[in-house]
Amino acid sequence: MVQPTEIRPQDVTSVDNEGIWPVRRSRVIDWLINETSNERYIDNIIVALCDKLVEAGVALDRCSVHFRTHHPQWHGARVLWRLGMTEAKITTFAYGVENSPQFVNSPINAVFQGAAEVRTELEELDEFDDYYAEFKQQGYTEYVAWPMHHTFGRRHVATFVTKRVGGFRESDIIALKDVLPALTLVTEIRTKNILARTMLETYVGPHASEQVLAGAITRGSGSTVSAAIMICDLRGFTHISDMWPRDDVIELLNAYFDAISEPIERHGGEILKFMGDGLLAIFPLDKDQACLDLLQAIREGREAINALNDANRDGARPHLDYGVGVHIGDVMYGNIGSRKRLDFTVIGPAVNIASRLETLTKQVKRPVLLSRAFVDMAGCEDIDRLGSFLLTGLDEPVEVFALR
């Protein structure tokens, strides 16, 4: 076994002494750089870091880190620690918060806009604005905010606040500034991981994203999954697209997908893809209630579409109709595509039958059609038997039921 080489002070060249960081070496920085690689979550790192700073004698009573995110719902997130907290508080902020007066006039925005430092002695404020009022009322004496510079110009913010009489000591400021570059590196790694996960969950769904992140990235990789499958399609979308302005069509389509999708996700289904004006979702059968969950999602989606149509009765938006085909069976779940462009999806005869049932809704004028195989497993009661139909591409007829 090769023994590590011991570095003696006399062996260090003059070049090694020309750097400017850190101003003071500390065990906190050593820990942050060398001992956090196994910690996945930023909030846990921030709590441990703040505890270690306090143990090292830094007069720190509150810390927050503010990230601007790439997320379809959230503009940003804040991780907050206060002295005595064993877990950080994570708060997300929706799009539009960046235009609120409270944010626009905040030191956080000042740093986002380019300030290198915002340092405020709260004890010295006779008149203070709304942002600092709560801090002063809680006994804090000094507030400082600095930028954290990530790659590609991404700028985030770290704040530190103390209750020490007289504010931070100069040694406290040096210690906090020394920690900041290391904290910046550590948080960037985690935010990149979060970004990758968020992007994958946004575009392929949570289960598929987990598989991709776990290494299922080669063409043909995947597994066989037993699932209840539903395919939903909006009726008359071509006519709507031709007759309505583009922005109205997009808004309408998003409202339709919200109505259909939210119940699916709420009841444990996974939307694998949106296909123009349609979607493909599965409910894996490893959950005993999968079929009942799918039916409940359809019912709630139907109620949401009805509410949307009621709101559009004044003619401001067109009436929406849709068709749903439901079947059950084993499907291949994995990567399909060309050598360089893959799609994580499901294929198989069960998917084809669900698709043919959705198409059949146009002919029989019933919006939700179920196969005999699904009905038998789900134990459906509120259904009507429509008969057996020879679906396109199948050799044998399929017994079809309509959900009331």
Side-chain angles (χ1 to χ4, degrees), residues 4 29 32 56 66 102 106 113 180 234 244 268 273 294 321 332 378 387:
I29 297 174
L32 192 54
H66 303 252
Q102 184 181 16
S106 72
Q113 296 303 316
L180 201 61
L234 181 64
W244 291 80
K273 62 170 55 184
L294 185 151
D321 292 307
M332 188 278 183

Side-chain angles (χ1 to χ4, degrees), residues 136-273:
K136 190 161 185 177
Q137 290 168 3
Q138 294 176 1
Y140 293 106
T141 58
E142 187 172 1
Y143 176 105
V144 61
W146 291 303
M148 297 194 304
H149 298 282
H150 288 191
T151 51
F152 300 111
R154 300 293 296 177
R155 192 179 179 97
H156 307 286
V157 182
T159 78
F160 303 93
V161 195
T162 184
K163 290 184 177 180
R164 178 182 175 273
V165 175
F168 286 116
R169 296 162 296 200
E170 192 58 30
S171 61
D172 296 330
I173 295 297
I174 291 173
L176 294 173
K177 283 186 173 180
D178 273 349
V179 159
L180 201 61
L183 180 61
T184 298
L185 292 172
V186 169
T187 56
E188 175 154 28
I189 294 168
R190 272 72 182 182
T191 55
K192 289 293 189 290
N193 291 341
I194 293 170
L195 175 60
R197 187 175 300 275
T198 299
M199 291 295 105
L200 282 170
E201 287 181 354
T202 300
Y203 288 99
V204 303
H207 187 267
S209 69
E210 288 292 338
Q211 299 235 359
V212 172
L213 289 170
I217 57 174
T218 57
R219 185 167 59 166
S221 63
S223 59
T224 299
V225 177
S226 295
I229 306 133
M230 65 173 286
I231 292 179
C232 181
D233 187 69
L234 181 64
R235 293 285 173 260
F237 182 65
T238 300
H239 176 72
I240 293 172
S241 299
D242 290 341
M243 299 299 296
W244 291 80
R246 185 205 65 172
D247 290 347
D248 287 351
V249 171
I250 292 174
E251 184 178 342
L252 185 69
L253 196 57
N254 285 334
Y256 155 72
F257 279 133
D258 279 343
I260 297 296
S261 302
E262 289 177 3
I264 292 173
E265 294 171 339
R266 187 162 55 243
H267 290 284
E270 179 164 2
I271 299 168
L272 295 183
K273 62 170 55 184

Side-chain angles (χ1 to χ4, degrees), residues 311-340:
N312 292 336
R313 278 183 177 174
D314 59 0
R317 294 286 189 275
H319 182 88
L320 299 180
D321 292 307
Y322 63 95
V324 179
V326 179
H327 187 49
I328 200 167
D330 293 337
V331 295
M332 188 278 183
Y333 186 63
N335 282 304
I336 309 294
S338 67
R339 289 189 179 93
K340 294 183 179 180

Side-chain angles (χ1 to χ4, degrees), residues 10-11 53 71 82 97 109 155 159 209 258 303 307 370:
Q10 60 268 32
D11 295 331
L53 286 169
H71 193 280
R82 294 190 188 94
V97 69
N109 187 47
R155 192 179 179 97
T159 78
S209 69
D258 279 343
E303 292 174 2
L370 318 170

